[in-house]
């Protein structure tokens, strides 16, 4: 079967899934541009796409040719109106009788702006609902969002973002960092993300200050408008280490040396650093506003806390820092769970099950592998 994916960029967050799918099917990725400047400045490189055929910056004529040549293929669009080229291709597909799938992140529905977003997606449903074959949406809030916009629950499926396995075998538990252990026996923490108000890096530093004797270090990786303030606060605490921008390989090296990733965002459609941390055997503590919080079990892999509550953040930090360093056995267990449930291969098999269900080839509605209730 042939699958055509329409996206804004050649995304590191989609590469593992698409490469795995391309081992068994023809896969074409049509991207508005190779990479945004923001992503490039954040340390991203163009990912290896394996057997995936890529088409970048297509004009209207090329879009029409792709839709005509592959009209009987399955087309998947990232968003509806989020990206100009993708939206243009989506509208053309609908007018030509092609029934596409959509990748959609949850929208914020609270407040008057949230109400307007709900109205917008309700209008999209009225305009395009008969054409949309299925919605693949991220996190625990995704289904709720689009059901509130009156999309049928029967066409909404759990989805996520997926990253490649670590460059080395993280499940071995070997230390792969150029810094030696400090000998304290205390856990190492990690923050990776844009340094802005949404990621709540400053509240995180404030909550960690009273706990600074309970962990050996916090590595802070990222850039953004709060960079100067973060660097200033890091210089005032021996346990805080501001590292700026790092390549993806360098980030994963830190993950293989760390014990707890913390991501206290007010909103994250997913948060793929959670995937990467788990693949490298780390525990994760994030807010429930992160879509990837559904990957955490509250016991072994980590947990989430209410995004709006500083008190809950504080208590969660205390609890998970008190858990200490990760044992080799636990690190291997977390890494193995990740390979089995959130790898590109696991995602591609689940995607095939969704497609089979939509075609009527299987009776049972598929369940996302990361949502399965299974022991680690």
């Amino acid at each position: 079967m042939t699958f055509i994916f329409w996206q804004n960029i050649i995304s590191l967050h989609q590469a593992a899934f698409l490469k795995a799918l391309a081992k068994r099917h023809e896969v074409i990725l049509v991207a508005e541009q190779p990479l945004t400047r923001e992503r490039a400045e954040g340390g991203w490189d163009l990912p290896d796409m394996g057997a995936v055929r890529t088409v970048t910056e297509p004009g209207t004529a090329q879009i029409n040719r792709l839709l005509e040549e592959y009209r009987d293929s399955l087309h998947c669009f990232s968003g509806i109106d989020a990206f100009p080229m993708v939206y243009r291709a989506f509208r053309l597909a609908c007018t030509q009788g092609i029934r596409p799938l959509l990748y959609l992140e949850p929208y914020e529905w609270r407040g008057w702006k949230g109400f307007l977003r709900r109205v917008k997606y309700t209008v999209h449903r009225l305009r395009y609902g008969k054409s949309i074959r299925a919605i693949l949406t991220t996190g625990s809030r995704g289904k709720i969002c689009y059901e509130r916009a009156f999309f049928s629950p029967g066409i909404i499926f759990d989805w996520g973002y997926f990253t490649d396995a670590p460059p080395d075998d993280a499940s071995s538990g070997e230390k792969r960092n150029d810094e030696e252990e400090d000998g304290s026996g205390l856990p190492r923490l990690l923050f990776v993300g844009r340094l802005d108000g949404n990621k709540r890096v400053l509240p995180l530093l404030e909550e960690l200050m009273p706990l600074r004797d309970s962990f050996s270090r916090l590595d802070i990786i990222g850039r953004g408008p709060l960079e100067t303030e973060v660097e200033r606060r890091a210089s005032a605490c021996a346990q805080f280490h501001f590292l700026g921008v790092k390549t993806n390989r360098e980030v994963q090296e830190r993950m293989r040396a760390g014990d707890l990733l913390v991501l206290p965002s007010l909103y994250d459609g997913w948060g793929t650093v959670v995937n990467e941390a788990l693949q490298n055997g780390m525990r994760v503590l994030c807010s429930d506003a992160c879509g990837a919080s559904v990957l955490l079990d509250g016991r072994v892999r980590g947990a989430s806390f209410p995004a709006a509550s500083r008190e809950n953040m504080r208590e969660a930090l205390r609890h998970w820092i008190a858990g200490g360093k990760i044992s080799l056995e636990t690190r291997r267990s977390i890494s193995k769970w990740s390979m089995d449930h959130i790898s590109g291969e696991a995602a591609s098999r689940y995607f095939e099950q969704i497609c089979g269900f939509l075609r009527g080839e299987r009776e049972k509605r598929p369940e996302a592998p990361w949502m399965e209730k299974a022991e680690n």
Side-chain angles (χ1 to χ4, degrees):
M1 188 169 183
T2 300
F3 297 99
I4 320 294
F5 292 86
W6 302 80
Q7 300 176 3
N8 63 320
I9 61 172
I10 302 174
S11 174
L12 187 67
H13 299 163
Q14 299 282 6
F17 158 60
L18 295 180
K19 282 192 298 183
L21 190 65
K23 293 177 182 178
R24 298 181 296 278
H25 306 275
E26 181 183 13
V27 176
I28 301 173
L29 169 60
V30 188
E32 193 166 86
Q33 57 184 314
L35 203 62
T36 62
R37 185 176 66 178
E38 179 182 345
R39 290 299 193 185
E41 291 176 349
W44 277 37
D45 294 316
L46 285 176
D48 170 23
M49 296 304 297
V52 177
R53 173 188 162 195
T54 58
V55 177
T56 57
E57 303 180 45
T60 301
Q62 190 172 16
I63 291 171
N64 278 316
R65 283 197 302 272
L66 286 166
L67 292 173
E68 178 61 31
E69 183 177 352
Y70 295 98
R71 67 173 298 104
D72 295 326
S73 302
L74 197 149
H75 293 255
C76 310
F77 292 85
S78 291
I80 296 179
D81 59 355
F83 312 110
M85 183 279 292
V86 178
Y87 189 29
R88 184 164 71 252
F90 170 75
R91 294 198 309 270
L92 286 170
C94 291
T95 60
Q96 293 176 24
I98 295 172
R99 298 194 63 207
L101 272 66
L102 293 177
Y103 289 166
L104 294 177
E105 293 184 355
Y107 58 85
E108 175 57 75
W109 65 66
R110 290 172 295 191
W112 66 270
K113 288 185 178 179
F115 173 76
L116 292 178
R117 293 186 188 101
R118 179 181 171 186
V119 169
K120 183 187 83 167
Y121 281 102
T122 300
V123 171
H124 282 326
R125 185 196 62 80
L126 292 171
R127 175 180 280 183
Y128 305 114
K130 291 182 179 180
S131 297
I132 296 169
R133 183 174 299 188
I135 293 173
L136 311 182
T137 185
T138 58
S140 61
R141 301 183 181 188
K143 286 184 176 180
I144 299 172
C145 280
Y146 298 104
E147 288 177 9
R148 289 188 175 191
F150 304 104
F151 285 95
S152 168
I155 69 167
I156 305 174
F157 296 84
D158 290 307
W159 195 245
Y161 292 120
F162 311 97
T163 55
D164 277 315
D168 299 308
D169 182 11
S171 63
S172 70
E174 294 178 7
K175 181 177 172 62
R176 297 181 181 87
N177 192 282
D178 56 3
E179 296 181 6
E180 296 185 3
E181 288 284 359
D182 57 21
S184 69
L186 298 175
R188 294 178 61 156
L189 312 186
L190 178 64
F191 171 91
V192 182
R194 183 167 170 76
L195 306 180
D196 60 19
N198 178 60
K199 297 291 185 180
R200 292 209 296 179
V201 61
L202 296 184
L204 173 63
L205 298 183
E206 292 166 4
E207 296 298 341
L208 285 175
M209 276 296 289
L211 305 174
R212 60 188 178 276
D213 293 332
S214 302
F215 58 92
S216 62
R217 62 184 289 142
L218 165 71
D219 287 333
I220 307 164
I221 296 176
R223 69 179 308 167
L226 299 178
E227 186 172 339
T228 301
E229 179 62 16
V230 168
E231 190 169 10
R232 184 188 71 80
R233 296 195 187 194
S235 66
C237 179
Q239 285 87 346
F240 294 168
H241 297 264
F242 174 64
L243 306 179
V245 174
K246 295 290 182 183
T247 65
N248 185 258
R249 180 176 288 271
E250 291 171 323
V251 170
Q252 296 205 38
E253 287 174 358
R254 296 282 167 176
M255 288 176 171
R256 290 195 291 280
D259 300 287
L260 182 68
L261 175 87
V262 186
L263 188 65
S265 309
L266 287 172
Y267 172 81
D268 256 313
W270 185 252
T272 52
V273 291
V274 174
N275 297 59
E276 291 174 329
L278 294 172
Q279 287 173 318
N280 283 286
M282 288 189 82
R283 289 185 172 123
V284 176
L285 180 63
C286 70
S287 76
D288 62 0
C290 298
S293 63
V294 297
L295 304 181
L296 309 177
D297 61 353
R299 300 181 298 107
V300 178
R301 298 189 297 275
S304 63
F305 57 86
S309 173
R310 284 280 293 266
E311 181 179 352
N312 284 111
M313 183 201 300
R314 184 180 313 124
E315 291 305 313
L317 286 167
R318 286 176 179 165
H319 173 79
W320 286 92
I321 291 173
K325 297 189 70 65
I326 298 177
S327 68
L328 175 58
E329 180 182 3
T330 299
R331 187 177 289 276
R332 286 174 172 169
S333 173
I334 294 171
S335 183
K336 184 180 185 306
W337 180 91
S338 302
M339 180 62 68
D340 293 342
H341 295 83
I342 58 171
S343 65
E345 181 60 31
S348 69
R349 294 292 183 185
Y350 171 50
F351 182 79
E352 289 171 332
Q353 292 170 5
I354 292 174
C355 294
F357 178 76
L358 293 172
R359 292 194 299 265
E361 297 170 0
R362 54 178 289 153
E363 292 184 13
K364 186 177 180 181
R365 181 184 174 91
E367 181 181 28
W370 55 92
M371 300 296 286
E372 296 172 359
K373 304 301 180 184
E375 293 297 323
N376 290 277

